Amino acid sequence: MSAQGLRIFFSARTYNVDIGQGVGSIKTVIYLDILLLVNFLAAYFLLLAAGGLCAQRPRFGRLLAGSAAAALSALILLAPPLPLAVQLGYKLGTAAVVTSAAFGVRSKRRWLAVTAVYAALNIALGGLAVLGAAYSQAPTLQAGNLTLYLRISPVLLLVLAGVLAAGAEIFQRFFCPAAPAAQTVGLQTELCGHTLRLRAAADTANHLKDPVTCLPVLVVSYPDARARLPAEVCAFLDAWFSGSTRRAPPAGAHLRLIPCSTAAGSGLLPGFAVSGISLISDTGLLGLGRTALAFTQTSFGSSEYEALYGPDFL
């Protein structure tokens, strides 16, 4: 199923696989396409559940990539019994690949949290599958390469994975209060050698990305943040928004043109790449990684914040 959890495969005519270690082995035959499909769908549900419990909603494309990585990790069943160190390394490595593909690693703390929850859900699914096998009087459980092998219905496995995902969603909706819509965070970065601190609010419709790094950007209202910006940056943005787009950017600044589409039309927002943006927390600065600032000449009309971040930014 996935790197940390149960893998299920079925009697077929495609591959003969020796299962078991130490006390003998049993030869089992599997359909490779069914194995990959079932593991892909089960991982999809578990990644959804893990993201919901950790307040992280991966994009659909990333979710598919993580599910595909989890499905491919099931191919370890075609390998002969491996040394214990190799088995452990494989489990940890594939777990890291699956969650990195689905959620990214911009914040190591958030990545470790969602990886731990994903692993716990895999273990829970394994337990439910064992109970389901016992209830349905499925053949005896075998194990190999730190992987459990049960011959149960793939439909049953997917139903169990769906139950876990639904349970996680219900828990998140009813027991985890939603953050206020206008909740703001403090962000800090450096621009042209000056420390820049901004207040930012969440905007679920903001999906702008730096075309160079493909990372989400912070959208800053130039009128609202003007007093906080270095003078050379203000001079450049004044010229840009007045139509002088050929003016050279300030010394030390790396100009970015961020594609932007709104209900009013499409265009390019001027921006600057920064070496890193940090979240200002009670315990200090939490690095969020390198990204870019995009500036708009529209005021956000609030005294509480000068910038907007999207769902993929933090």
Side-chain angles (χ1 to χ4, degrees):
M1 189 186 55
S2 71
Q4 309 95 326
L6 181 72
R7 294 190 180 87
I8 309 298
F9 38 95
F10 321 94
S11 293
R13 298 181 298 276
T14 307
Y15 282 96
N16 292 313
V17 182
D18 289 327
I19 305 172
Q21 292 174 236
V23 292
S25 63
I26 301 174
K27 188 172 289 292
T28 297
V29 195
I30 65 168
Y31 283 118
L32 186 59
D33 53 350
I34 295 179
L35 169 71
L36 294 175
L37 178 61
V38 171
N39 280 278
F40 177 89
L41 295 175
Y44 182 89
F45 285 125
L46 295 185
L47 288 170
L48 272 180
L53 291 175
C54 295
Q56 300 186 53
R57 298 291 185 178
R59 288 192 174 187
F60 182 66
R62 296 198 71 121
L63 196 58
L64 292 182
S67 302
L72 291 175
S73 72
L75 295 179
I76 189 66
L77 71 90
L78 301 179
L82 301 172
L84 179 59
V86 176
Q87 296 177 30
L88 290 172
Y90 182 82
K91 294 284 188 179
L92 295 174
T94 51
V97 169
V98 169
T99 52
S100 297
F103 300 97
V105 291
R106 296 186 62 219
S107 171
K108 292 183 179 179
R109 183 181 302 177
R110 290 166 63 86
W111 173 69
L112 288 174
V114 77
T115 301
V117 172
Y118 178 61
L121 290 173
N122 270 273
I123 295 172
L125 179 58
L128 290 175
V130 171
L131 291 176
Y135 179 78
S136 61
Q137 298 181 346
T140 305
L141 169 74
Q142 296 106 35
N145 288 331
L146 295 181
T147 302
L148 299 179
Y149 301 99
L150 284 171
R151 193 175 303 172
I152 65 174
S153 166
V155 176
L156 174 60
L157 177 65
L158 295 180
V159 168
L160 293 175
V163 167
L164 282 176
E169 183 68 20
I170 292 173
F171 179 85
Q172 195 273 338
R173 286 181 178 272
F174 288 96
F175 298 98
C176 299
Q183 183 181 15
T184 61
V185 297
L187 300 176
Q188 177 175 309
T189 187
E190 284 196 5
L191 184 60
C192 295
H194 293 76
T195 298
L196 176 63
R197 294 185 178 90
L198 298 167
R199 297 167 298 174
D203 177 14
T204 57
N206 177 12
H207 296 290
L208 299 185
K209 289 190 174 183
D210 182 345
V212 176
T213 64
C214 296
L215 294 175
V217 305
L218 185 68
V219 180
V220 182
S221 169
Y222 177 52
D224 298 339
R226 194 179 195 282
R228 299 172 179 259
L229 299 175
E232 57 269 35
V233 172
C234 292
F236 174 81
L237 292 176
D238 285 338
W240 179 280
F241 289 127
S242 66
S244 301
T245 57
R246 294 185 179 182
R247 183 187 177 101
H254 301 281
L255 180 64
R256 291 283 195 269
L257 298 181
I258 311 297
C260 176
S261 297
T262 66
S266 301
L268 295 175
L269 295 181
F272 301 101
V274 291
S275 59
I277 293 180
S278 298
L279 177 69
I280 303 174
S281 66
D282 295 336
T283 58
L285 297 178
L286 175 62
L288 301 177
R290 65 190 182 96
T291 180
L293 308 177
F295 291 90
T296 174
Q297 60 182 334
T298 302
S299 172
F300 296 147
S302 173
S303 60
E304 300 295 326
Y305 55 87
E306 306 87 22
L308 297 174
Y309 64 88
D312 304 321
F313 187 83
L314 294 181

